[in-house]
Amino acid sequence: MNLNSILEFDQIRKKWSTHALTKSAAEQIDTITYELDESTLQKHLLDTTHARDMIRSCGMPPLVSMEQAEEILGRAVKEGCLTPDQLETIGQLLTAVRRLIDYLNKGKAYNNPLSWYEQNLDACNVLRDEIALQIRSGQVDDHASKQLSRVRAELVRVKEKMIQKAEQVMRTQKECMADQFYTMRGGHICIPVKKDYKWKVKGSVIDQSSKGSTLFIEPAAVGNMQESTQALELEEMREVSRILYTLTAMVADDAPVILKNIRMMEKLDFIFSKGKLSLEMNASEPQIHTDRKIRLKNARHPLMDQAACIPLQFEIGESADGIIITGPNTGGKTVAMKTIALNCYMAQCGLHVTCEEADICMNSSILCDIGDGQNLTENLSTFSAHIKNILEIIGQVTPESLVVMDELGSGTDPAEGMGIAVSILEELRRSGCLFLVTTHYPEVKEYADRAERIQNARMEFDRRTLQPTYRMIIGEAGESCAFYIAQKLGMPQRMLETAARAAYGEVAGLTVPADSGNQQTAAKASPGIKEIRKIKKAKKTAHAAKLSEKFRIGDSVMVFPDKKIGIVCTPVNEKGVLQIQMPDKKIYINQKRVKLHVAAAELYPDDYDFSILFDTVQNRKIRHEMSRKYTTKTIEKNVDA
């Protein structure tokens, strides 16, 4: 029994997960189940209420995803040097902590208890400020230290001087240049020199073009300054490493505090995700207790459109422990049952419920049998699946359980199904649990009237519009309304009377218009009954009949355009085609290309056997044998194309 799927709590999880920003909170949502400790559950519900109120008063909390933060902390603690990007991630995390602290402090003005979580957060201001000062845009900033600032400034000055030297050579020896601009090759400033003028430019060849016509030469004056540049770059690298190692050590020192921040932010992310879901569903905090009572005011299914949903009023446990819901199909019985069970499940998971008011008792288990449960791989019919689930439920039920069952006793012989339904209800009544079931059996309604601590309820049905109102009325038994619906839709009186005798042994209060027995009148009364339609046979046209008589078997005909003579084997069909025996073969041809030469009546006697002309000797012998005795021989079809 997959309770999450049956009650559609898995759909609630999906909506809930969209409000979680951290991986930890999403995993907690994915594995959550109903809480059994009353004090813990009441705290969870208060957290949800405070989160919703905080969002209403202060806006959305500045929480962020922190998937890489723990991995970075682990590397820092293991004495690895963090990269500027990794240090920047830690800096962003600490900035988010600082913003969250400010956000929670705002809530203190509204006396929101969640505000005091700020005492468990530490923004590590010194580390945060150092990272912000020394790391910028994924790099160590030029002003991270005085020495780094000096070295980088000197590097810029030297490189500018090298560029000036290169440009000076290009100006003085313009005729030797293949281009007007210097270029970088392997970290060297080079000028593009035509191959034929290589000897005119002093310097080192660093590279050449793909065709070899241009050489990239580092001028001697520039090359003399390259050593100074390399020395400055090494000094820069040492200073950058010193800064990164210093910041990494600071991160390692504050790692326990940062990790504590992460855990607190994950906890707050989970709490605020519940508040966001409550606001999305326009939900309210339920009152939770251990008394075996449930009362829902204006309850609705959390996944249904609020504007289209009819509010449900429900109460159980005060005067009855079991409710038997009856009413017509599509009357909302199953939706009502799921609404009650799903709201109870959500409340016990620490979520707000989609009710105006709700008093909900804690349940040690919520046991469901909803849906037909057919399973072809296990060879389970609808009835077998119901019984299998019900036996599991009976084996697990306790006085603290909530049991919901749909279409109790269905899927088998009505008399036997009714008996099984009553026996199940009696077993549930003895267990002392709270239970809610739907059924169509009138005997079960009568059982509910007689049995202690069980009440009937019905889903209201508008007989005028033939539509359900989806309102539950507790204390009254419902009816299926099948005869009434059939009557309003135009079922003839004789059929209704037959149905009533079969069901109850008598005709009970069935009234229809006087002419409703007439099929046409019934059709006019209800658009559901259509006029009887009859098959219309095709008639042979005069033209087709005339064609079939135009040529007869044995007629001698002339075939155009060759004007050859042949004999008709098969008369003209409806498509105007006939078969003709020519001197050497049989052909099919359109009657428009054939002209009667001599009629068969003039050539042959009335009883002439045309098989002599058109059939083979072998086939004629076989036919003769068939007329006298049994034979296994078959006639061969001899058709010449």
Side-chain angles (χ1 to χ4, degrees), residues 374-380:
Q374 274 193 330
N375 190 321
L376 299 179
T377 60
E378 295 183 13
N379 197 26
L380 290 179

Side-chain angles (χ1 to χ4, degrees), residues 184-186 190 204-209 214-218:
M184 298 297 295
R185 285 290 190 275
C190 300
S204 303
V205 177
I206 304 299
D207 199 0
Q208 66 178 6
S209 64
T214 302
L215 301 178
F216 297 99
I217 297 175
E218 181 184 47

Side-chain angles (χ1 to χ4, degrees), residues 377-391:
T377 60
E378 295 183 13
N379 197 26
L380 290 179
S381 66
T382 298
F383 178 71
S384 300
H386 276 301
I387 293 301
K388 185 174 181 289
N389 289 340
I390 288 167
L391 291 176

